[in-house]
């Protein structure tokens, strides 16, 4: 459902609106990229060094499992961040909520870089690590709504899909930057120094988020749609809701439908980007750098799909584009594994590229589609909760389920069936969205 905002435009006003729109887009994508850089460097460090730094008293395998358990805690904390910063964003504005999430991420990530290890602090070291990972998860859960809505609510009415999708480019930018920084630090300081103290450098670099947060606070206007809604509320002498979370949860149908609709996108994304790394290396015997390179190249398919299909959704509607992406993702899951099984890099890249482009067809329209389900006074909370719950239900479990299905079956058919079934089931809440009236 599209929410139309009737604002008279003249040639002069259109030109004058362009500068704040461009500034809002630049701020949103910068904040998103740095937030996801911080969120992703934790995963790399968990795989490479955290087991030795924070869990040395257990076996190497148990240490790695413990490290990845702390990584998963970040996903579990994301809905909490959506609720906390959603309340701030709905009551006080998109900009202060986004700035607050950025400050929390900068402080948490920098403190991880300064955290004493097990040899220095004993059991307090892993406990503090978990606490800081929770803070990271809350920050990224709160940031998504702030960056997305700051961009979308600056958009012209006929380009909301495109504007909402642009901040999502922070995901691949953050992933690529995180990998490059770890590689560069490893080359500059050497493996022994990296394992000892060099791993801290990528976390300490997170301090640069504080100047960016200050710049957004000083130089970026809050969303005009939020300001108009606040002015209308004052004109009508309406009371401010005590809690936007309670307002949303009184009518949970919209959040549940959003989460159910988006779950296939998160399942497909993490199967391709995370599960395929494990499958290519351990099942097919391909080199880790080869599979990682294939995933990074194929992310261009996700990027192009996200932006291109978001723009298309402005012309033909959100749900048809999203549905097409889900159908292609489900069907392509039966193609991507045979292409990977050849062991040929070009065919692996092709399989991953098309799969991620299909995910982009879901990711692109999703921001505007979810935002348009909620009025401005609860939009930050409602859209963020739907998105973050989908990430836990879908993405958080997908790689683990993939490993279990590979172990249970002969070949990859069960994994493909899992992705396809999720895609088909996701079409049900998507269809129900057409009958859902905006929360009033």
């Amino acid at each position: 459902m599209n929410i139309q905002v009737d604002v008279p435009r003249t040639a002069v006003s259109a030109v004058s609106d362009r500068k704040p729109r461009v500034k809002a887009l630049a701020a949103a994508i910068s904040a998103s990229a740095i937030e996801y850089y911080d969120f992703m460097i934790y995963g790399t460090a968990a795989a490479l060094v955290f087991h030795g730094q924070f869990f040395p008293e257990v076996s190497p395998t148990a240490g790695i499992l413990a490290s990845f358990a702390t990584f998963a805690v970040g996903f579990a904390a994301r809905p909490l961040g959506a609720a906390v910063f959603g309340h701030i964003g709905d009551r006080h504005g998109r900009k202060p909520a986004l700035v607050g999430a950025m400050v929390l991420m900068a402080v948490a990530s920098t403190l991880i870089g300064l955290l004493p290890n097990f040899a220095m602090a004993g059991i307090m070291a892993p406990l503090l690590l978990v606490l800081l990972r929770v803070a990271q998860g809350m920050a990224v859960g709160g940031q998504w709504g702030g960056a997305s809505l700051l961009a979308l609510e600056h958009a012209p009415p006929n380009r909301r899909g495109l504007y909402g999708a642009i901040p999502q480019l922070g995901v691949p930018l953050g992933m690529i930057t995180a990998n490059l920084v770890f590689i560069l630090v490893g080359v500059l300081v050497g493996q022994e120094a990296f394992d000892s103290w060099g791993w801290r450098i990528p976390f300490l670099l997170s301090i640069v988020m504080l100047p960016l947060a200050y710049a957004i606070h000083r130089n970026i206007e809050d969303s005009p749609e939020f300001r108009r809604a606040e002015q209308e509320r004052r004109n009508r002498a309406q009371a401010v809701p005590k809690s936007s979370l309670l307002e949303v949860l009184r009518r949970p149908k919209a959040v549940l439908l959003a989460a159910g609709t988006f779950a296939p996108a998160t399942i497909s994304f993490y199967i391709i980007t995370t599960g395929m790394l494990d499958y290519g290396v351990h099942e097919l015997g391909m080199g880790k750098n080869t599979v990682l390179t294939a995933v990074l190249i194929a992310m261009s398919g996700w990027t192009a799909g996200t932006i291109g299909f978001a723009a298309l959704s402005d012309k033909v509607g959100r749900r048809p584009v999203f549905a097409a992406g889900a159908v292609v993702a489900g069907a392509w899951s039966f193609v991507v594994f045979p292409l990977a099984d050849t062991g040929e890099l070009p065919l692996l890249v092709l399989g991953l590229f098309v799969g991620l482009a299909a995910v982009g067809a879901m990711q692109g329209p999703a921001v505007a589609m979810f935002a348009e389900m909620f009025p401005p006074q609860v939009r930050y909370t409602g859209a963020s909760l739907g998105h973050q719950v989908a990430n836990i239900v879908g993405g958080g479990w997908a790689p683990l389920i993939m490993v279990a299905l590979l172990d249970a079956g002969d070949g990859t058919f069960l994994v493909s069936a899992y992705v396809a079934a999720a895609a088909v089931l996701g079409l049900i809440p998507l269809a129900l969205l057409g009958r859902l009236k905006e929360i009033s």
Side-chain angles (χ1 to χ4, degrees):
M1 178 184 65
N2 292 323
I3 299 175
Q4 298 297 328
V5 181
D6 297 321
V7 181
R9 297 293 187 196
T10 65
V12 174
S13 66
V15 172
S16 64
D17 283 345
R18 191 172 300 141
K19 185 174 181 180
R21 284 174 181 164
V22 171
K23 290 172 68 175
L25 282 174
I29 193 171
S30 299
S32 181
I34 298 179
E35 285 266 355
Y36 277 101
Y37 161 81
D38 282 341
F39 196 71
M40 296 298 181
I41 57 174
Y42 190 101
T44 305
L48 297 177
V49 296
F50 276 179
H51 54 285
Q53 291 289 324
F54 296 98
F55 307 99
E57 298 294 302
V58 298
S59 68
T61 299
I64 292 175
L65 289 174
S67 298
F68 278 125
T70 64
F71 175 71
V73 165
F75 281 87
R78 286 168 72 161
L80 178 60
V84 171
F85 289 101
H87 176 76
I88 297 171
D90 286 328
R91 188 163 186 173
H92 302 289
R94 316 319 189 195
K95 185 177 74 171
L98 176 60
V99 170
M102 294 174 66
V103 170
L104 178 61
M105 179 65 86
V107 171
S109 299
T110 302
L111 287 177
I112 290 175
L114 298 172
L115 197 63
N117 60 17
F118 190 91
M120 300 175 184
I123 192 63
M124 285 300 298
L127 292 178
L128 289 172
L129 182 66
V130 170
L131 180 63
L132 292 173
R133 182 56 177 172
V134 169
Q136 277 194 322
M138 288 184 61
V140 81
Q143 170 275 331
W144 182 86
S148 299
L149 294 184
L150 191 65
L152 181 143
E153 292 180 346
H154 270 89
N158 62 341
R159 302 185 72 186
R160 292 162 70 89
L162 176 61
Y163 273 60
I166 288 176
Q168 312 315 309
L169 297 183
V171 176
L173 288 175
M175 288 179 62
I176 293 170
T177 304
N179 285 327
L180 290 177
V181 168
F182 264 97
I183 291 172
L184 181 61
V185 170
V187 170
L188 291 177
V189 305
Q191 188 62 45
E192 184 177 349
F194 178 86
D195 292 342
S196 176
W197 56 266
W199 63 268
R200 299 178 181 273
I201 295 175
F203 289 95
L204 296 176
L205 291 176
S206 303
I207 198 71
V208 302
M209 186 178 286
L210 291 178
L212 176 60
Y214 180 75
I216 291 176
H217 171 70
R218 288 295 303 271
N219 300 315
I220 304 298
E221 296 180 1
D222 213 325
S223 108
E225 190 168 347
F226 172 80
R227 287 183 277 125
R228 281 196 295 270
E230 280 295 285
Q231 187 60 51
E232 290 175 6
R233 181 188 60 78
R234 294 190 191 98
N235 292 343
R236 297 174 182 174
Q238 293 177 333
V240 178
K242 291 184 178 180
S243 170
S244 56
L245 176 62
L246 291 179
E247 288 294 315
V248 169
L249 293 183
R250 282 175 186 154
R251 304 168 183 85
K253 188 176 183 180
V255 173
L256 294 176
L257 288 179
T261 298
F262 196 65
T266 65
I267 289 172
S268 297
F269 181 82
Y270 284 103
I271 288 289
I272 293 173
T273 58
T274 303
M276 190 58 75
L277 279 172
D278 177 75
Y279 180 74
V281 173
H282 296 109
E283 298 292 334
L284 303 181
M286 300 177 70
K288 181 176 68 174
N289 289 339
T290 299
V291 183
L292 183 59
T293 299
V295 172
L296 291 177
I297 294 173
M299 280 299 293
S300 61
W302 183 92
T303 302
T306 297
I307 297 301
F309 288 113
L312 181 63
S313 77
D314 286 326
K315 301 181 182 298
V316 304
R318 320 289 182 214
R319 289 191 299 140
V321 175
F322 193 102
V327 170
V328 172
W332 191 254
S333 65
F334 292 97
V335 179
V336 63
F337 286 105
L339 290 175
D341 289 342
T342 66
E344 298 292 333
L345 179 60
L347 294 178
L348 175 61
V349 170
L350 174 63
L352 301 181
F353 182 94
V354 175
L356 286 174
V359 175
M362 293 182 276
Q363 176 73 52
V367 175
M369 184 167 66
F370 296 159
E372 289 161 354
M373 292 165 57
F374 301 92
Q377 61 266 29
V378 295
R379 179 175 294 160
Y380 200 128
T381 301
S384 294
L385 275 177
H387 184 269
Q388 301 307 337
V389 169
N391 270 283
I392 292 180
V393 174
W397 291 96
L400 183 62
I401 292 174
M402 176 178 171
V403 172
L405 292 175
L406 287 172
D407 185 61
D410 183 16
T412 59
F413 177 82
L414 290 179
V415 180
S416 299
Y418 163 56
V419 176
V424 172
L425 292 175
L427 295 177
I428 298 173
L430 179 65
L432 294 176
L433 290 183
R435 303 178 184 179
L436 182 70
K437 294 183 179 180
E438 178 187 311
I439 296 175
S440 57

